[in-house]
Amino acid sequence: MTNCPTLIVTVGLPARGKTYISKKLTRYLNWIGVPTREFNVGQYRRECVKIYKSFEFFRPDNEEGLKIRQQCASAALNDVRQYLADKGGQVAVFDATNTTRERRGTITAFAEQNGFKVFFVESVCEDPEVIAENIVQVKLGSPDYTNCNTEEAMEDFKKRIKCYENSYETLDEVLDRDLSYIKIMDVGRRYLVNQVQDHIQSRIVYYLMNIHITPRSIYLCRHGESDLNVKGCIGGDSGLSPRGKEFANYLGQFIQSQEISDLKVWTSQMKRTIQTAEAVSVPYEQWKALNEIDAGVCEEMMYEEIQQHYPLEFAMRDQDKYRYRYPKGESYEDLVQRLEPVIMELERQENILVVCHQAIMRCLLAYFLDKTAEELPYLKCPLHTVLKLTPVAYGCKVESIYLNVDAVNTHRDRPEVAGAKEALVSNAH
Amino acid sequence: IELSSVPQFTNSPTLIVMVGLPARGKTYISKKLTRYLNWIGVPTKVFNLGQYRREVQSYKSFEFFRPDNEEAMQIRKACASNALKDVVIYFSKEHGQVAVFDATNTTRERRVSIVSFAKEKGYKVFFVESICDDPDIIAQNIADVKVSSPDYLNCDKEEALADFLKRIECYKQTYVPLDDEKDRRLSYIKIFNVGSRYLVNCVQDHIQSRIVYYLMNIHVTPRSIYLSRHGESNMNLLGRIGGDSGLSPRGHKYATALGTFIKSQHIKDLKVWTSHMKRTIQTAEHLGIPYEQWKALNEIDAGVCEEMTYEEIQDNHPEEFALRDQDKYRYRYPKGESYEDLVHRLEPVIMELERQENVLVVCHQAVMRCLLAYLLDKTADELPYLKCPLHTALKLTPVAYGCKVEHVFLNIEAVNTHRERPGNVDVSRDPEEALKTIPDHF
């Protein structure tokens, strides 16, 4: 996607969402296949200064504090350099306040020396309610405040922010016109984008402009058990089995009971997801991109048949299930690529139910729960189970709801020996 | 239960309102954006105020645009009103989804009246303001598109330039750009100096987000896009569609010739893209330039008809064959794809093509038709019948509001793979009628 590595540098006062953005962006970039890591200077500081005493550490006239903070920033940049130059990283997110022009100048020089491109992400927010909510959600629970009560922590943190305010130099339209950056204002109401250099920066900008923090839940489930599931066959486009239909009805009831405001429902263009959504009685949208992984020549075969007719392919798939592409079909890696627009639109949406398929659900889940490419193809997504994902703090709360309708098990664990007959799924069929 | 087979980008129609002094690229942006939206399947139309004005008034001089010219003001207001009336018809009677109102809209007063109009009708409004103070860019604009405008048919270049500059001055006096504070509730993007900087405010929905993304990826740096199919393949020789075969001997000859041609063009920093299929990769190999493989550039998946000849398709799937002829754009091969699906998967390719400069795309017949339709603004009906013969490179160079096309046939014979729409598309037709237009093969 890009030749030089990219250093993303966050900018902003404390409690402006820098770490939230850093983590989310890192998760997204890794999911689309761009090796990315975040480097949080606060963590380096916590390792150096074992016990946090108070906001006084951050006073601009605290020489000792300044020295330590500078050392921590340097240590972090050193690790950045290692990651991008030696460890195959493509993007590093340097998560710190970086509120002075001087500090940003140092970082730019560092990047130039090492041949990295720099892209700044500044978050500007003056809404006291948003800031207070931030502090409650992520600061009060920080390791810095383990031994404080809520009021003490809140008071101290506000004083901490004040320490930065006087020396804060926001990215300037004139003074910083040669820098590449996005300035996010008021949690996304407004953006200023300057000098986007390349494809990856353009994608980062597009992503940042589509995320939001309005509370909502994402419901993920597979279609109800299908006739081909019952036979133990993969792929195809069959309808629901009687138990699958029962699940669809229960799903409808469950959704109603949740009393979700403005729920959107998405399905694939395959019969089994459409039939499932029909029972939910909410208008739904069909996405071709949500269709199950194309198993090519293995479509509609049972694992035993694949083992029989394509033993070599079967073994190769077990060796690298993420990258393995069925002949005339797709790989999980291909799936991630075609699901990217779905993820982008999921980010824009609020309450939503996605009725999809096993491999698809694994890809979506891996995105939301930050699972690696190695873990992704083995994530457990059983039939007749709804996952309710609710973004909270820096991650996602997951509730698993089994709707009490039996179904076959379609999960095949990574076998000890690739392609071994013993590892074939024992289905109830 | 409503079923939609394409995700809804927006529920209400959207009125895009251009803002900016003359010669700031408003019409360029309007036309390009409209072309893109139509290609991705969002019915969009441009309403250019200048054209409305030209219909009622033959142009004499910049005096028409003087802010104190009351008579002219009345005419201009009436034209704006007529244009907006046509927007209403486009949305309510012609299934339009997006209308681009291409005019200067430089006063707050004018913009306020448009916003009220839209609110009354239930349309969403998104402003696109182009701000440019680089005199070189402005001069280039004027030379490219103004001097040859119908307004200046009977003038020489210097006269036209002088008059146009005075025209711009007329607008400058009353120009009020979108304001950070006063317009904070409006949805808009401000483009500074052809894209070095953007200000984006209050994006409301998916279509606006896509529009912003698109506008942030286009540029005006001169460059050329070369499109070519792979060299003739072994399947091509046999009249078979799809598959993943290698090049025929003539195909290899073409690849070599293509390499020679490309070298002769002395193209600066050429990027080469291929699909994941053997025949495009083998073609690119002869060029001696590093190339990138895109799965999205793979040929249309013909599903159950893969690797069949048209005769075999007629034998085995006569009804499908007829259905395809009835609506070639939307028809999806069983277990395969449609042209409509292709456009969807090619959208990221188009976006990246917009970002790039000199690029050679080595692809396939259906894929090339889709890309060409985007670049040359062809409709969904025309798209599946665009002529993309083997062994012919197309050089597309953006110029003014469109694209100049040069066809380069590299003088190496190949089979013809183009099948025209036959006269009879009825499912009950005879085999001979179905096979009337198939090209010759071995």
Side-chain angles (χ1 to χ4, degrees):
Chain A
M1 240 184 234
T2 178
N3 300 321
C4 343
T6 303
L7 176 59
I8 297 177
V9 181
T10 63
V11 179
L13 293 173
R16 263 56 176 183
K18 298 184 299 299
T19 301
Y20 176 83
I21 288 169
S22 300
K23 287 182 179 265
K24 211 168 153 78
L25 186 56
T26 299
R27 177 162 57 88
Y28 167 71
L29 289 172
N30 278 312
W31 186 76
I32 62 170
V34 180
T36 306
R37 197 187 286 180
E38 26 135 11
F39 298 82
N40 177 287
V41 174
Q43 254 164 263
Y44 283 77
R45 189 257 308 154
R46 274 184 281 274
E47 265 159 52
C48 186
V49 182
K50 298 296 177 188
I51 299 171
Y52 175 76
K53 289 203 183 69
S54 80
F55 76 95
E56 308 259 4
F57 179 81
F58 292 99
R59 286 178 56 160
D61 55 2
N62 181 343
E63 295 234 6
E64 205 195 307
L66 277 172
K67 214 171 87 176
I68 295 174
R69 289 157 71 193
Q70 204 135 295
Q71 282 170 2
C72 289
S74 297
L77 283 179
N78 205 26
D79 286 351
V80 162
R81 195 184 39 75
Q82 265 199 2
Y83 177 66
L84 295 180
D86 306 331
K87 294 193 186 155
Q90 267 229 261
V91 177
V93 184
F94 186 61
D95 177 18
T97 49
N98 299 313
T99 39
T100 61
R101 186 155 285 113
E102 184 197 357
R103 167 58 59 85
R104 296 194 292 267
T106 313
I107 298 172
T108 309
F110 158 85
E112 236 159 85
Q113 259 181 340
N114 287 288
F116 306 150
K117 285 185 183 176
V118 183
F119 189 73
F120 292 95
V121 177
E122 180 172 18
S123 173
V124 177
C125 181
E126 292 314 316
D127 184 336
E129 282 180 32
V130 173
I131 297 165
E133 181 61 22
N134 259 9
I135 298 176
V136 166
Q137 281 230 357
V138 295
K139 298 300 179 185
L140 301 184
S142 145
D144 290 343
Y145 296 112
T146 14
N147 297 317
C148 298
N149 68 37
T150 311
E151 278 92 47
E152 284 171 352
M154 184 66 97
E155 268 316 296
D156 185 274
F157 199 82
K158 285 191 177 151
K159 292 201 186 107
R160 208 155 116 176
I161 298 179
K162 277 249 168 308
C163 294
Y164 285 90
E165 270 174 8
N166 289 332
S167 56
Y168 181 20
E169 293 167 295
T170 185
L171 286 168
D172 185 80
E173 277 178 29
V174 178
L175 293 172
D176 299 308
R177 68 179 166 284
D178 291 329
L179 298 181
S180 298
Y181 66 84
I182 178 171
K183 198 187 265 217
I184 304 169
M185 293 167 270
D186 294 325
V187 207
R189 195 180 52 81
R190 208 164 141 79
Y191 305 92
L192 188 64
V193 180
N194 197 65
Q195 305 282 16
V196 171
Q197 296 172 54
D198 60 15
H199 177 95
I200 190 75
Q201 291 180 15
S202 159
R203 290 287 283 277
I204 289 165
V205 164
Y206 184 40
Y207 181 72
L208 292 177
M209 288 175 58
N210 279 303
I211 61 180
H212 68 77
I213 55 167
T214 310
R216 50 88 171 244
S217 288
I218 298 167
Y219 296 80
L220 297 181
C221 77
R222 289 168 66 187
H223 52 83
E225 182 192 69
S226 72
D227 289 326
L228 281 175
N229 286 144
V230 172
K231 294 203 182 94
C233 299
I234 66 173
D237 191 14
S238 61
L240 299 180
S241 70
R243 296 196 297 195
K245 290 189 181 129
E246 209 185 326
F247 165 73
N249 288 328
Y250 279 38
L251 179 65
Q253 288 169 25
F254 168 71
I255 291 297
Q256 274 227 346
S257 73
Q258 291 272 298
E259 286 174 357
I260 308 156
S261 90
D262 292 324
L263 178 72
K264 292 254 170 75
V265 179
W266 291 353
T267 69
S268 69
Q269 290 187 350
M270 298 178 136
K271 291 198 196 82
R272 51 201 189 275
T273 57
I274 293 170
Q275 283 178 15
T276 308
E278 279 285 325
V280 177
S281 294
V282 175
Y284 57 89
E285 258 180 57
Q286 300 174 28
W287 289 70
K288 188 170 193 271
L290 285 171
N291 280 4
E292 182 57 315
I293 191 170
D294 184 353
V297 299
C298 299
E299 275 286 314
E300 303 194 38
M301 289 190 175
M302 298 189 286
Y303 286 120
E304 291 90 343
E305 288 173 312
I306 303 176
Q307 162 70 13
Q308 222 186 7
H309 293 116
Y310 299 98
L312 189 58
E313 296 293 329
F314 197 51
M316 275 166 43
R317 187 161 203 252
D318 284 338
Q319 282 173 14
D320 189 357
K321 196 173 175 188
Y322 183 73
R323 274 163 217 88
Y324 172 82
R325 192 182 279 159
Y326 282 107
K328 302 201 169 172
E330 294 176 297
S331 63
Y332 271 96
E333 192 170 32
D334 294 329
L335 269 196
V336 162
Q337 240 216 6
R338 73 163 153 92
L339 284 169
E340 201 268 349
V342 176
I343 287 294
M344 199 62 91
E345 191 50 27
L346 266 174
E347 284 295 346
R348 290 196 56 79
Q349 292 293 334
E350 293 184 20
N351 289 318
I352 184 151
L353 163 66
V354 184
V355 183
C356 55
H357 306 265
Q358 183 167 247
I360 298 291
M361 190 159 156
R362 284 171 170 157
C363 293
L364 298 179
L365 208 53
Y367 167 73
F368 287 111
L369 303 184
D370 205 15
K371 299 296 182 186
T372 64
E374 274 60 49
E375 298 170 295
L376 188 162
Y378 296 101
L379 292 176
K380 286 205 163 76
C381 294
L383 287 165
H384 299 186
T385 309
V386 181
L387 291 187
K388 176 180 177 181
L389 300 149
T390 311
V392 70
Y394 294 137
C396 235
K397 180 173 84 168
V398 194
E399 294 164 69
S400 175
I401 303 126
Y402 174 60
L403 288 185
N404 234 335
V405 179
D406 279 333
V408 293
N409 169 29
T410 58
H411 186 90
R412 189 173 164 269
D413 271 318
R414 188 202 310 261
E416 300 276 309
V417 180
K421 279 202 168 80
E422 295 72 42
L424 292 172
V425 166
S426 58
N427 283 344
H429 66 268
Chain B
I1 308 298
E2 288 156 32
L3 299 174
S4 61
S5 57
V6 178
Q8 288 302 321
F9 291 143
T10 181
N11 298 320
S12 355
T14 303
L15 179 61
I16 297 179
V17 181
M18 304 302 300
V19 180
L21 294 171
R24 263 60 177 179
K26 298 185 298 301
T27 300
Y28 175 82
I29 291 169
S30 300
K31 286 179 182 259
K32 210 169 155 76
L33 184 57
T34 299
R35 177 160 57 88
Y36 167 71
L37 290 173
N38 278 312
W39 186 77
I40 62 169
V42 180
T44 306
K45 191 169 171 185
V46 180
F47 296 81
N48 175 285
L49 201 49
Q51 258 165 259
Y52 282 79
R53 190 249 313 148
R54 273 184 279 275
E55 264 161 52
V56 298
Q57 177 91 10
S58 67
Y59 184 73
K60 290 204 182 63
S61 81
F62 77 94
E63 307 261 3
F64 182 83
F65 291 98
R66 287 178 53 161
D68 54 2
N69 184 339
E70 297 232 8
E71 199 194 312
M73 273 299 177
Q74 291 307 319
I75 296 175
R76 291 160 72 189
K77 265 200 187 129
C79 287
S81 184
N82 287 335
L84 290 179
K85 282 202 188 96
D86 285 348
V87 166
V88 174
I89 295 173
Y90 180 60
F91 284 151
S92 56
K93 305 236 162 67
E94 294 171 20
H95 309 292
Q97 267 218 266
V98 177
V100 184
F101 186 51
D102 178 17
T104 51
N105 297 312
T106 39
T107 61
R108 176 157 290 115
E109 182 197 2
R110 169 59 59 84
R111 297 194 292 266
V112 161
S113 73
I114 295 174
V115 170
S116 312
F117 155 82
K119 195 163 180 195
E120 202 200 328
K121 302 281 182 198
Y123 307 153
K124 286 188 179 169
V125 181
F126 188 74
F127 291 94
V128 177
E129 182 170 24
S130 173
I131 294 178
C132 182
D133 46 27
D134 182 333
D136 289 335
I137 298 178
I138 297 164
Q140 184 67 47
N141 261 7
I142 298 176
D144 278 350
V145 295
K146 297 299 179 186
V147 163
S148 55
S149 144
D151 290 343
Y152 296 111
L153 222 44
N154 300 316
C155 299
D156 68 36
K157 279 203 194 124
E158 275 89 48
E159 284 175 352
L161 180 61
D163 184 274
F164 199 80
L165 290 172
K166 291 203 189 98
R167 211 154 114 176
I168 298 179
E169 288 306 313
C170 293
Y171 283 93
K172 270 192 183 163
Q173 297 168 41
T174 52
Y175 180 24
V176 178
L178 289 168
D179 185 81
D180 285 357
E181 257 312 298
K182 298 206 179 100
D183 297 313
R184 69 180 172 284
R185 294 198 198 288
L186 297 182
S187 299
Y188 63 84
I189 179 171
K190 255 194 214 217
I191 305 170
F192 295 89
N193 288 328
V194 207
S196 69
R197 195 159 96 245
Y198 305 91
L199 186 64
V200 180
N201 196 69
C202 285
V203 170
Q204 298 173 52
D205 60 13
H206 177 96
I207 190 75
Q208 291 180 18
S209 160
R210 289 287 283 276
I211 289 165
V212 164
Y213 184 40
Y214 181 72
L215 292 177
M216 288 175 57
N217 280 302
I218 59 180
H219 67 77
V220 294
T221 311
R223 52 85 171 246
S224 289
I225 297 169
Y226 296 79
L227 297 182
S228 160
R229 288 170 66 187
H230 52 82
E232 182 190 69
S233 73
N234 290 320
M235 287 271 188
N236 288 145
L237 278 179
L238 301 172
R240 296 187 174 281
I241 65 171
D244 190 15
S245 62
L247 299 180
S248 70
R250 298 195 297 197
H252 280 289
K253 275 212 182 101
Y254 170 72
T256 311
L258 182 64
T260 310
F261 168 70
I262 290 295
K263 279 204 184 75
S264 74
Q265 291 272 297
H266 299 296
I267 308 158
K268 163 170 133 354
D269 291 326
L270 178 69
K271 296 257 168 75
V272 179
W273 294 351
T274 69
S275 69
H276 277 202
M277 298 179 137
K278 290 199 196 81
R279 51 202 190 275
T280 57
I281 293 171
Q282 283 178 13
T283 308
E285 278 288 324
H286 287 266
L287 302 174
I289 307 174
Y291 56 89
E292 241 182 82
Q293 299 176 28
W294 290 69
K295 186 168 195 268
L297 285 172
N298 280 5
E299 181 57 315
I300 192 170
D301 184 354
V304 299
C305 297
E306 275 285 316
E307 303 193 34
M308 289 190 178
T309 61
Y310 287 118
E311 292 94 331
E312 286 168 349
I313 300 176
Q314 170 59 27
D315 267 342
N316 293 301
H317 305 279
E319 191 178 324
E320 295 292 328
F321 200 39
L323 288 175
R324 186 163 203 250
D325 284 337
Q326 284 174 19
D327 189 357
K328 196 173 176 188
Y329 183 73
R330 274 161 219 87
Y331 171 82
R332 191 183 278 161
Y333 284 106
K335 302 201 169 171
E337 295 176 298
S338 62
Y339 272 96
E340 190 171 34
D341 295 329
L342 262 198
V343 161
H344 194 79
R345 74 163 152 91
L346 283 169
E347 201 266 349
V349 176
I350 287 295
M351 198 62 90
E352 192 52 26
L353 257 179
E354 284 295 345
R355 288 197 58 78
Q356 291 293 336
E357 292 184 22
N358 292 317
V359 189
L360 162 65
V361 184
V362 182
C363 54
H364 306 265
Q365 183 167 250
V367 171
M368 188 158 157
R369 283 171 171 156
C370 292
L371 298 179
L372 208 53
Y374 166 73
L375 294 164
L376 301 183
D377 204 16
K378 299 295 182 187
T379 63
D381 290 323
E382 297 169 297
L383 188 163
Y385 296 101
L386 292 175
K387 286 206 165 72
C388 295
L390 286 166
H391 297 189
T392 309
L394 291 186
K395 176 180 177 181
L396 296 134
T397 311
V399 70
Y401 296 136
C403 236
K404 178 173 84 167
V405 195
E406 296 164 65
H407 293 253
V408 186
F409 174 59
L410 289 184
N411 236 332
I412 294 173
E413 292 298 314
V415 292
N416 170 30
T417 59
H418 188 90
R419 184 175 164 267
E420 285 294 353
R421 189 176 195 266
N424 190 344
V425 299
D426 217 73
V427 289
S428 62
R429 65 189 175 181
D430 291 329
E432 301 88 63
E433 294 177 289
L435 299 174
K436 229 181 192 145
T437 57
I438 65 166
D440 295 327
H441 60 84
F442 291 94

